[in-house]
Amino acid sequence: MRVNRTLIVSLILAALLVVPAGALARRLIIGGSTSVLPLAQKLAAAYHKAYPKLATPKVEGGQSDVGISGVASGRFDIGDSSRDPLETDPHGLRFTKIAQDGICVITNKSNALTNMSQQTIVSIFTGSISDWSEVPGAKITGPIDLFDRDGASGTQDAFQHIFLGEELKVSPKATPESSNGLEQSSVGSDQQAIGFVSFAYTGGVNAVGYQGIPCTLRNAKSGQYGGVRNFWMVTKGAPKGATAKFLQWVTSGNKTTKSIINSSWIAIH
Amino acid sequence: MSGADPTTEQIPAQNELPATPTMAEIVRPPRSSTSTWPLIDRLCYGLCWATGIALCMIALAIVVFMFVKGISYLRPSLFIHSPAPSLHQSQSGGFLDPIVGTLIIAAIGTLIAAPTGVALAVWLSEYGRPAWLARAVESAIEMISGAPSIVLAIFGLLIFSQGFLSFLSQPAAEGSLGSSFLCAGIIMALLALPLIVASTRAGLSQVPDHMREASYALGKTKATTIRRVLLRAIRPSVASGVVLGLGRIIGDTAIVTVLAGGNLINQANGNVPILSTLRGTGSSLTTYVYENSPAGEGNAHQKAYAAAFVLLVMVLALNALVTRLTGERTARSNWLSRMRPAWIR
Amino acid sequence: MPVGVPNHRRRLRRTGSDKRAEFTLGALAVAVLVLIGLMLITVFVKAWPSFSHNGLAWFGSGGDVDTQLRAMNEVTPLPGHSIYYFRAWSLIWGTLLTTILAVLLALAISVMAAVFLTEFAPAPVRRVLEPVIRLLAGVPSVVYGLIGILALTPWINQHLISNARKKSVDLLVQLNGADLTTATLILTVMITPIMVAIIAGALASVPPSWREGSVALGVNRWRTIYRISLRTARPAIVAAAVLATARALGEAIMLAMVAGGRGFAANPLDGITFLFEPVRPLAATIFQESGAITNGPVSHTIYAMAAVLLVSAAMLSFAGWAAKQPLKRYGIRA
């Protein structure tokens, strides 16, 4: 009898697990770029507030390439990308621009460079200059500690395209970090460090001006600052159903989304 | 031992064996100084002392460092607030969600691993036929215990991303998401399984045969003997195995990071009260520490220290539990409190 | 067994409940075996494309691992190679370095510390140390990583790595405190407590009469310990070493935090600088790339690395078993 009772209880539990699975309205799964991550999280929370009946979309990190391949493989409903689409991306993806963002070159606070020309940035990041004594305006001496982003990062792609041009790549000896946050904390704790992050992560480090223009949100919005890149949300084909609803809300330019995006990014709708 | 010449002493009669000297009567030989030893022996002796003292100091330094840092950053408000998703983590948020997450995963893992482990151990030591199957199962369990947890995690991700298992997490555009507390808990059970099996087998092997024979003599079947007699007798072993497995589950980060989603807040999935939380994603204390350390996104090391302190307290509590469960059996099981023979100083 | 069954028939008659119980438990054991077998097969099947495209050169060196992983992530093959091109030698070398150095160091320290604890330490020291060591054995690896990355790495960066040293390897790699030394030190601290516990337990179980015999022959204390106790504890030392190596091999989180993350094969010919070069062990690489598991080539490479780790763990257990075999001759039960 005892065995039978245990069997019955476990069968009921199993049924409970399986049955409601079909009855659920599925949450959206968004994943990808760590630069877009804070924006996507805020948008998701505000979306749930605006439409309380719909579940908050689940937002994950990864990196831009992870977001794109995740959408292609069906793991994510929406992928976040902080770089422009490339020909090598999987076919059939639809990129929707949602905002713009700026990239700042950052140094440690004890090395408060105010400005760097493109030539200097190129020489430093490709490795031709390797000592701070060769950099005009540097406040310290010693070897330069380069920080980069690792393989799948869209910020790295965008940085290379905007600051280094189409041909050059960041020197392979740079230390790769896997997120903006990590880049920010590495540069913040190493006096001789230099790296690049998205706007929203410039707390605690020194943001270096680019070609005479300080790296601030206002300069980026006015178009003066040159290091601006696009944020995309990627879907497999045209967005449908719940995905379409979300994307439509994000790109509609309504008050909520505008105020969220304008807090640390540049609204375009 | 007493120095008397055995050849001149009369052999005592059978019932007149000399009394065993008590502690007080043992004459301790003078402690030989090491100055008579060869140089190499003195060197090794000194090295042992040095290493021992160094180990003491490092161990105490680590423990004291973690406790001091942890307590200095620990605030009661951390226990009741959820993590706040902002770019400036050091300003707000606590670790209520990670603590809940740890408890959920530990509970699921142990609930799955404990009965399975005990059943496996019982089969291995009481039945174990055919022999090749038993050896294969033993090797498989040993392989699991040696496998890195990250490998188990990616294996779990592979399995749970299949569409037909979407009831365990949530369906994705193709297949399923593969990340939820349930998924993490199931793979955690694999982590704890070898410890429970080993502990239960050790306990079973220590049950003397006459207990089993007595039960058979009373007419009980083997199954009943196992259920009524043996399982009751090995309760402390099973309990200590479960607690050891629990300790391993609580301390694991890789599986939680990969299989329970990457967010710090626990997000339920659906409307069913408990199941939605189990099917949802979230974090545990270990991933919270990882995310808040300079290696993660948060860069709020104060909260990382506080959470690490909570983890240490949990480990301490589990260790104390294991000591209580096994210490009552014999003092010998406590490897350092074993008395050295009195004549070796 | 029911009363009245003659002796010679007792073993042959199993009651229904017995047979059911054996069948159920056996089925459970087979299910667990199948699950674990499935895991192994899946890992190897998914790893196969990476091995088949690279052949045995997968284990060799050739190019920068980080660049290769980046190319796979971006689905852009490196010029002249297929998308699966991967040369894992720097990762394997990093794993070997950290594991072997940490285990050797920990073995030396644990044996001596265990001897100290069981033989020489005064009672109050032992009473304090025993719970402390058990606590350290149970501390999660992420806490060790936290200490490493917050306390040890900046200290090494500021005090042990001079600017001149950084310049000397500047063309190839950057030194910033997260390196082989930090990784090895923390790994040693992680695996020492469990080794000390196992070896000390074995030392305490040496039959006293053996040591009494040795002392009675006039051997001094240290030699008694060395010749008798440590020899008797050899199976436990082997077991502890195997356990520690398995733990060091599989350590992913802590090493991802403090080992440097740069797939560079640390070069012993660099002298002292060799100790400060970053390494990237296999398990840490798997952890760091696990986000991209949906990407085809990356996922095959990750599973290939996982397959290598599983095979190493299996070889390690076999080596442990083989090392204990000769000891069985002397009746020392392993």
Side-chain angles (χ1 to χ4, degrees):
Chain A
M1 265 335 274
R2 200 165 288 145
V3 173
N4 286 341
R5 235 186 317 169
T6 327
L7 205 55
I8 293 175
V9 168
S10 30
L11 276 176
I12 294 179
L13 274 179
L16 269 181
L17 259 188
V18 178
V19 161
L24 283 179
R26 187 161 81 66
R27 268 195 312 171
L28 284 181
I29 308 176
I30 307 177
S33 162
T34 60
S35 308
V36 184
L37 182 67
L39 176 59
Q41 280 174 328
K42 288 193 174 161
L43 286 173
Y47 185 64
H48 177 64
K49 242 202 201 156
Y51 299 97
K53 284 242 173 86
L54 299 175
T56 321
K58 174 174 154 47
V59 181
E60 286 190 3
Q63 292 203 61
S64 296
D65 287 336
V66 169
I68 292 177
S69 64
V71 170
S73 73
R75 186 141 191 266
F76 297 145
D77 294 299
I78 300 178
D80 297 327
S81 167
S82 61
R83 60 162 174 80
D84 292 336
L86 299 170
E87 322 85 59
T88 48
D89 286 335
H91 295 299
L93 299 177
R94 170 83 63 92
F95 282 70
T96 313
K97 205 188 294 196
I98 58 165
Q100 279 186 325
D101 177 46
I103 300 185
C104 285
V105 174
I106 50 170
T107 55
N108 190 279
K109 278 227 147 104
S110 61
N111 183 20
L113 277 165
T114 44
N115 183 46
M116 277 209 268
S117 67
Q118 182 176 24
Q119 187 52 40
T120 325
I121 292 185
V122 168
S123 332
I124 292 181
F125 277 92
T126 52
S128 355
I129 295 184
S130 54
D131 197 290
W132 281 114
S133 50
E134 301 168 48
V135 175
K139 305 285 190 299
I140 58 166
T141 55
I144 299 181
D145 279 342
L146 267 184
F147 283 92
D148 187 11
R149 294 289 305 282
D150 72 12
S153 163
T155 310
Q156 203 242 12
D157 253 0
F159 175 80
Q160 275 178 176
H161 273 124
I162 299 173
F163 289 80
L164 302 184
E166 298 298 320
E167 302 295 324
L168 297 171
K169 303 246 174 245
V170 177
S171 160
K173 74 175 175 78
T175 311
E177 305 289 1
S178 54
S179 69
N180 276 305
L182 204 40
E183 183 100 355
Q184 177 191 24
S185 62
S186 307
V187 170
S189 56
D190 183 351
Q191 286 187 337
Q192 289 151 311
I194 184 171
F196 54 88
V197 289
S198 169
F199 261 150
Y201 290 87
T202 47
V205 289
N206 170 52
V208 180
Y210 178 54
Q211 292 182 321
I213 315 282
C215 179
T216 62
L217 194 56
R218 184 168 354 150
N219 288 345
K221 284 188 178 154
S222 67
Q224 285 184 310
Y225 182 70
V228 169
R229 44 93 180 254
N230 298 319
F231 275 173
W232 306 86
M233 279 194 170
V234 188
T235 48
K236 201 167 186 178
K240 293 186 276 291
T243 319
K245 212 158 165 219
F246 179 72
L247 276 178
Q248 212 177 14
W249 180 81
V250 167
T251 53
S252 61
N254 62 53
K255 231 173 14 143
T256 336
T257 54
K258 249 202 151 100
S259 64
I260 292 178
I261 298 179
N262 274 321
S263 60
S264 305
W265 301 277
I266 306 163
I268 52 173
H269 295 288
Chain B
M1 281 264 288
S2 57
D5 189 353
T7 54
T8 56
E9 278 251 287
Q10 279 200 329
I11 299 173
Q14 273 293 59
N15 50 357
E16 277 179 8
L17 288 171
T20 320
T22 62
M23 283 297 185
E25 290 170 4
I26 290 181
V27 173
R28 298 206 158 102
R31 185 177 181 163
S32 61
S33 83
T34 58
S35 56
T36 54
W37 295 3
L39 179 62
I40 184 83
D41 290 355
R42 265 182 286 167
L43 260 162
C44 292
Y45 180 66
L47 211 55
C48 275
W49 264 92
T51 318
I53 301 283
L55 184 70
C56 292
M57 293 200 317
I58 294 181
L60 284 174
I62 294 179
V63 171
V64 165
F65 176 74
M66 288 308 304
F67 271 69
V68 162
K69 282 275 189 185
I71 294 187
S72 66
Y73 293 130
L74 195 65
R75 303 186 311 270
S77 65
L78 284 176
F79 284 96
I80 49 181
H81 288 136
S82 298
S86 85
L87 294 173
H88 304 285
Q89 276 282 359
S90 48
Q91 287 168 358
S92 62
F95 43 70
L96 173 66
D97 280 16
I99 290 185
V100 169
T102 308
L103 293 175
I104 293 179
I105 294 181
I108 298 177
T110 324
L111 279 175
I112 298 179
T116 317
V118 170
L120 270 178
V122 162
W123 182 80
L124 278 173
S125 60
E126 298 296 319
Y127 295 99
R129 284 188 298 235
W132 58 266
L133 190 61
R135 297 293 87 79
V137 171
E138 275 179 0
S139 313
I141 294 183
E142 202 178 322
M143 158 132 296
I144 290 282
S145 71
S149 61
I150 185 70
V151 172
L152 293 174
I154 57 176
F155 166 65
L157 193 60
L158 188 62
I159 294 267
F160 293 121
S161 300
Q162 305 306 314
F164 66 92
L165 285 173
S166 65
F167 65 91
L168 286 175
S169 55
Q170 81 167 76
E174 281 172 24
S176 44
L177 179 61
S179 301
S180 73
F181 280 125
L182 276 175
C183 302
I186 294 176
I187 299 292
M188 286 290 195
L190 275 182
L191 266 194
L193 199 65
L195 289 165
I196 298 181
V197 168
S199 199
T200 313
R201 281 185 83 182
L204 278 173
S205 69
Q206 280 181 354
V207 171
D209 269 343
H210 64 71
M211 281 183 75
R212 297 182 178 87
E213 289 167 8
S215 176
Y216 296 149
L218 288 173
K220 297 293 177 190
T221 62
K222 191 165 184 177
T224 317
T225 308
I226 293 176
R227 219 171 62 206
R228 298 279 194 178
V229 179
L230 293 182
L231 286 185
R232 299 255 163 106
I234 58 171
R235 258 195 220 150
S237 310
V238 172
S240 80
V242 167
V243 172
L244 282 175
L246 203 58
R248 190 151 182 215
I249 289 181
I250 288 182
D252 192 82
T253 319
I255 294 183
V256 183
T257 310
V258 173
L259 283 176
N263 303 340
L264 287 179
I265 308 182
N266 293 348
Q267 287 174 323
N269 179 18
N271 301 323
V272 185
I274 304 180
L275 274 178
S276 62
T277 321
L278 293 181
R279 258 203 286 247
T281 58
S283 63
S284 77
L285 273 175
T286 43
T287 51
Y288 185 80
V289 172
Y290 180 75
E291 289 292 325
N292 279 320
S293 76
E297 306 274 345
N299 198 18
H301 59 268
Q302 304 93 342
K303 295 204 276 187
Y305 276 126
F309 176 73
V310 175
L311 268 176
L312 277 181
V313 168
M314 278 191 190
V315 170
L316 253 181
L318 285 177
N319 278 350
L321 199 58
V322 173
T323 316
R324 250 191 24 135
L325 285 171
T326 57
E328 286 163 357
R329 297 198 306 140
T330 50
R332 230 173 344 152
S333 61
N334 198 344
W335 50 271
L336 275 180
S337 60
R338 194 175 151 74
M339 286 285 292
R340 288 200 304 250
W343 48 266
I344 286 188
R345 295 279 291 138
Chain C
M1 292 299 286
V3 180
V5 176
N7 261 345
H8 64 274
R9 291 198 70 84
R10 268 179 201 271
R11 261 173 50 98
L12 300 177
R13 259 185 73 177
R14 299 184 338 237
T15 60
S17 80
D18 248 356
K19 281 191 269 198
R20 267 203 309 274
E22 182 169 4
F23 182 72
T24 324
L25 289 178
L28 183 66
V30 168
V32 170
L33 185 63
V34 163
L35 181 69
I36 297 177
L38 187 69
M39 175 183 100
L40 290 177
I41 294 179
T42 323
V43 167
F44 283 110
V45 161
K46 288 221 76 166
W48 179 245
S50 185
F51 286 124
S52 73
H53 276 97
N54 290 304
L56 275 180
W58 192 94
F59 296 93
S61 65
D64 180 36
V65 163
D66 293 343
T67 320
Q68 288 156 11
L69 283 170
R70 175 169 315 183
M72 281 192 239
N73 263 307
E74 293 172 356
V75 203
T76 317
L78 292 171
H81 301 288
S82 80
I83 186 67
Y84 286 101
Y85 179 73
F86 193 66
R87 294 289 181 264
W89 172 244
S90 43
L91 304 179
I92 297 180
W93 178 234
T95 315
L96 282 177
L97 273 181
T98 47
T99 309
I100 294 183
L101 284 178
V103 169
L104 285 178
L105 204 56
L107 202 56
I109 295 179
S110 320
V111 167
M112 289 197 283
V115 165
F116 171 76
L117 281 173
T118 46
E119 305 287 339
F120 304 137
V125 172
R126 273 185 301 158
R127 262 201 303 272
V128 164
L129 212 51
E130 199 245 342
V132 166
I133 290 201
R134 280 221 290 191
L135 175 66
L136 284 183
V139 166
S141 53
V142 71
V143 175
Y144 282 118
L146 189 71
I147 300 179
I149 204 171
L150 285 176
L152 200 54
T153 303
W155 188 85
I156 289 187
N157 194 20
Q158 279 170 12
H159 298 274
L160 290 184
I161 306 182
S162 63
N163 278 344
R165 199 183 292 288
K166 286 191 190 185
K167 277 198 100 58
S168 68
V169 282
D170 209 32
L171 292 171
L172 286 173
V173 74
Q174 280 176 172
L175 306 177
N176 61 352
D179 50 29
L180 180 61
T181 309
T182 324
T184 310
L185 281 177
I186 301 190
L187 204 51
T188 311
V189 171
M190 261 180 63
I191 58 183
T192 304
I194 193 81
M195 288 179 86
V196 169
I198 295 179
I199 299 178
L203 284 174
S205 313
V206 171
S209 55
W210 296 14
R211 292 180 10 210
E212 289 170 15
S214 172
V215 169
L217 288 172
V219 182
N220 68 39
R221 245 187 310 146
W222 168 254
R223 295 238 170 166
T224 306
I225 295 168
Y226 179 62
R227 287 284 178 196
I228 307 291
S229 307
L230 277 183
R231 282 202 118 150
T232 315
R234 266 183 308 176
I237 298 180
V238 167
V242 167
L243 198 67
T245 316
R247 182 145 188 215
L249 259 185
E251 183 48 50
I253 304 296
M254 188 273 294
L255 289 174
M257 289 163 100
V258 303
R262 176 88 183 78
F264 175 77
N267 187 357
L269 296 174
D270 281 339
I272 300 286
T273 314
F274 159 67
L275 292 173
F276 297 113
E277 288 166 357
V279 289
R280 198 177 189 194
L282 274 173
T285 314
I286 297 181
F287 177 68
Q288 286 164 336
E289 300 289 329
S290 62
I293 201 110
T294 45
N295 178 338
V298 175
S299 84
H300 291 303
T301 313
I302 291 180
Y303 280 104
M305 293 192 267
V308 169
L309 280 178
L310 278 178
V311 168
S312 324
M315 289 200 313
L316 199 61
S317 324
F318 178 71
W321 174 85
K324 285 202 217 164
Q325 292 310 103
L327 302 175
K328 290 206 162 108
R329 266 190 298 152
Y330 300 105
I332 301 171
R333 283 178 325 149

